[in-house]
């Protein structure tokens, strides 16, 4: 990162995530650019060539969809290069050994594909930072593979609001990185993530009852379920979001919602089925597909269901 890094900001300035980023921008003496609107975000990136940009997972999902749609239109040698870029990029990301031919091919992909993609985003991008929700592993792997470094972090408003983040030197897309100095993280017996440190709130304003529910012996009970993979923290669920069907099966709705959100047709979704015999989903269609037929959506759901286990499948929507 340069001495005066360029940030492109588009999240609401009152949002605790963006609010903290503003303090970081001041500390590092950054040049800050403000996006005109979400629709003009990519153009604004091209205009100001930012080095860092923070956003929520939905932005990266949309980016994944748009780039994927563009890739699917390629043919011949272009299609071959695109496929090699993704394949070899993921191999490098996962620290798998590459042959001499693969290293040469990856160098060609770097020059012909990744450089072109980076230039569309201003050419100077050092890192996309994702926070505010779970980033789908496939989305993170894809963006990193095509030359757009995407680092997932984790935190809550109650933790000011960052607990951990991946570093550019060691990206593990399925994790939210290592906890930062200044806070301690441990996993409770039931799997809940507990955080203690100077970043943890003193309490909810004039609400001692709610404060005592989440702050116990200075440890904040986050309500998130997780585990450590070495020094890397991995979020697996929300404690209160677990769906327990009438058959006694424990199901993670986040996993299924991530699958649904990858569809070009779907803008937002919610999976429901607690104490019910099967799962249903409420779906909001993306604006450009708002007039598609119910049969088309049904076929899309059936396609998504193929990647899910029997108890995870969406029966109605």
């Amino acid at each position: 990162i340069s001495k005066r890094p360029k940030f492109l900001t588009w999240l609401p300035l009152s949002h605790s995530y963006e609010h903290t980023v503003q303090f970081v921008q001041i500390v590092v003496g950054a040049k800050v650019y403000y996006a005109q609107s979400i629709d003009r975000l990519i153009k604004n990136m091209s205009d100001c060539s930012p080095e860092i940009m923070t956003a929520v997972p939905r932005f990266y999902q949309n980016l994944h969809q748009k780039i994927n749609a563009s890739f699917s239109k390629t043919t011949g040698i272009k299609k071959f290069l695109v496929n090699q870029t993704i394949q070899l990029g993921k191999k490098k990301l996962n620290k798998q050994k590459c042959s001499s031919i693969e290293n040469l091919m990856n160098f060609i992909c770097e020059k012909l594909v990744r450089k072109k993609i980076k230039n569309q985003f201003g050419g100077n991008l050092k890192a996309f930072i994702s926070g505010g929700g779970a980033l789908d592993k496939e989305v993170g792997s894809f963006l990193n593979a095509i030359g757009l470094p995407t680092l997932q972090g984790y935190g809550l408003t109650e933790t000011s609001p960052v607990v951990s983040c991946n570093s550019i030197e060691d990206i593990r897309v399925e994790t939210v990185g290592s906890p930062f100095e200044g806070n301690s993280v441990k996993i409770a017996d039931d799997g809940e993530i507990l955080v203690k440190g100077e970043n943890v709130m003193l309490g909810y304003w004039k609400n001692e009852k709610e404060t005592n529910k989440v702050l116990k012996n200075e440890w904040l009970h986050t309500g998130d379920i997780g585990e450590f993979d070495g020094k890397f923290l991995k979020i697996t669920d929300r404690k209160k979001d677990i769906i327990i069907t009438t058959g006694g099966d424990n199901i993670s709705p986040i996993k299924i919602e991530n699958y649904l959100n990858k569809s070009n047709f779907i803008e937002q979704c919610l999976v429901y089925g607690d104490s019910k015999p099967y799962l249903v989903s409420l779906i909001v269609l993306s604006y450009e597909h708002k007039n598609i037929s119910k049969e088309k959506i049904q076929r899309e759901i059936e396609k998504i269901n193929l990647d899910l286990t029997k108890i995870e499948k969406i029966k109605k929507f």
Side-chain angles (χ1 to χ4, degrees), residues 137-189:
K137 184 185 173 183
E138 180 53 40
V139 173
S141 298
F142 176 86
L143 293 175
N144 277 292
I146 63 169
L148 299 173
T150 306
L151 314 177
Q152 183 174 202
Y154 166 70
L156 304 86
T157 301
E158 291 88 339
T159 59
S160 308
V162 186
V163 169
S164 66
C165 190
N166 272 270
S167 74
I168 198 73
E169 288 82 23
D170 194 358
I171 302 170
R172 309 279 179 96
V173 289
E174 70 279 11
T175 78
V176 291
S178 304
F180 288 149
E181 283 184 32
N183 69 176
S184 304
V185 178
K186 69 178 181 180
I187 309 296
D189 293 339

Side-chain angles (χ1 to χ4, degrees), residues 161-229:
V162 186
V163 169
S164 66
C165 190
N166 272 270
S167 74
I168 198 73
E169 288 82 23
D170 194 358
I171 302 170
R172 309 279 179 96
V173 289
E174 70 279 11
T175 78
V176 291
S178 304
F180 288 149
E181 283 184 32
N183 69 176
S184 304
V185 178
K186 69 178 181 180
I187 309 296
D189 293 339
D190 63 355
E192 186 174 8
I193 297 167
L194 310 183
V195 182
K196 180 181 181 181
E198 58 189 18
N199 56 325
V200 173
M201 67 170 185
L202 298 176
Y204 294 118
W205 178 246
K206 293 184 178 178
N207 196 337
E208 197 177 339
K209 187 183 173 186
E210 288 302 315
T211 299
N212 292 336
K213 279 183 189 176
V214 297
L215 269 180
K216 297 167 188 173
N217 297 321
E218 297 183 356
W219 286 97
L220 177 76
H221 289 60
T222 64
D224 291 311
I225 303 292
E227 61 192 30
F228 274 103
D229 180 2

